[in-house]
Amino acid sequence: METLTPDEIERYRRHILLPEIGGTGQQKMKDARVLVIGAGGLGTPVLEYLAAAGIGTIGIVDDDLVSLSNLQRQVIHDTGTIGEMKTRSAREAIARLNPHVRVVDFEERFSLEWASRNLSRFDLLIDGSDNFDTRYAAADAAELAKIPLVTGAVGRFDGSLTVLKPYETGPDGAPNPTYRDLFPEKPPEGLIPSCAETGIVGALTGVIGSLMAMEAIKLIVGIGEPLVGRLMLYDSLVARFDIIKYKRRTARAAAE
């Protein structure tokens, strides 16, 4: 464990002043190893805020290139990085933002097989992907690895996020729910169009991604009440947040 340097203490002073975080919490962030799936719309604010917060090691897994149409929402990239791997572009941006953060980038697509080789290096997973195959793979991988998962999604003008820790029990002694307790099955192919087909407001990804980063910080430091068993919904057109509670399904719990 490397202790905070004088430069880091000054950099994170506004965190350290908070009794809920303090020097101990900031040290936890420096020691943390977080893997982020996707350096796109949701991954952008997650990566920027976690890097600025002083997360010691950030992994990025993404196999896509920066394109001009990304820049309306993926603000970690810029015009000069068009055509670059998103992982490289994000790594260089993070280095400019906070040189104390170590970035490990993987120019690959996340999958269960990939996770079996690499996820053990991290203690928190954040899913900012844009497809259901990756979301289900991330949920299964995090459950197998027994690490928390922060997962979010956006579409047009609305978004959602939740936190999953199905390997633990809640205050009532019941097992925490899994991703499949919330979304039992993937929707049929083509039922839900992509943002490339329907469009999306760029600032919306900043709202949901920032909330995902906040949930990650709460989990790392051990403060507040993470969104375990709660799905947060945001409707940007009417500026409204709603919370839906969900539990482990009885049939699944009985089978286990």
Side-chain angles (χ1 to χ4, degrees):
M1 181 181 72
E2 297 181 11
T3 57
L4 296 169
T5 66
D7 180 76
E8 289 175 298
I9 291 172
E10 178 60 26
R11 178 182 288 265
Y12 309 129
R13 181 174 296 278
R14 299 302 188 276
H15 275 172
I16 294 170
L17 286 171
L18 295 167
E20 294 85 354
I21 296 179
T24 300
Q26 193 62 53
Q27 184 67 55
K28 288 180 180 179
M29 284 194 265
K30 180 170 182 173
D31 297 337
R33 301 167 299 163
V34 178
L35 177 65
V36 179
I37 302 173
L42 290 175
T44 281
V46 168
L47 291 167
E48 290 181 318
Y49 275 108
L50 292 188
I55 302 304
T57 301
I58 297 177
I60 312 170
V61 53
D62 196 315
D63 66 347
D64 198 11
L65 300 172
V66 179
S67 66
L68 182 60
S69 63
N70 297 149
L71 303 186
Q72 156 259 15
R73 64 198 179 281
Q74 301 177 19
V75 295
I76 202 168
H77 312 298
D78 58 49
T79 305
T81 64
I82 292 173
E84 285 187 12
M85 292 298 301
K86 287 184 179 178
T87 50
R88 177 181 175 183
S89 172
R91 170 165 46 83
E92 292 172 347
I94 289 171
R96 292 190 296 271
L97 176 62
N98 190 348
H100 299 287
V101 176
R102 174 175 174 259
V103 176
V104 184
D105 53 329
F106 303 92
E107 297 177 357
E108 302 174 66
R109 179 174 289 272
F110 184 91
S111 66
L112 274 174
E113 192 276 330
W114 184 93
S116 69
R117 293 184 279 109
N118 297 283
L119 192 54
S120 61
R121 300 166 60 179
F122 301 92
D123 43 45
L124 173 64
L125 180 61
I126 302 179
D127 179 19
S129 65
D130 60 359
N131 65 88
F132 283 97
D133 286 341
T134 303
R135 289 170 189 160
Y136 279 86
D140 291 343
E143 184 174 2
L144 285 170
K146 291 183 169 56
I147 63 172
L149 169 66
V150 180
T151 181
V154 288
R156 285 171 45 84
F157 296 99
D158 57 86
S160 64
L161 69 148
T162 191
V163 174
L164 293 155
K165 298 177 77 176
Y167 50 88
E168 292 183 355
T169 57
D172 60 357
N176 287 330
T178 71
Y179 190 74
R180 283 176 172 77
D181 292 315
L182 183 58
F183 302 110
E185 296 180 354
K186 302 176 190 176
E189 192 73 27
L191 179 64
I192 300 179
S194 68
C195 69
E197 299 171 294
T198 64
I200 188 168
V201 177
L204 171 67
T205 62
V207 174
I208 301 302
S210 297
L211 288 168
M212 292 168 69
M214 187 67 232
E215 289 301 301
I217 289 171
K218 287 159 57 180
L219 288 163
I220 291 164
V221 179
I223 58 174
E225 186 179 345
L227 286 168
V228 177
R230 295 183 295 151
L231 178 68
M232 176 180 284
L233 304 172
Y234 174 60
D235 183 338
S236 66
L237 289 180
V238 294
R240 184 177 67 208
F241 285 95
D242 293 297
I243 297 284
I244 296 175
K245 294 183 178 181
Y246 62 100
K247 296 181 178 181
R248 181 73 68 105
R249 291 174 181 264
T250 305
R252 178 186 170 99
E256 293 177 346

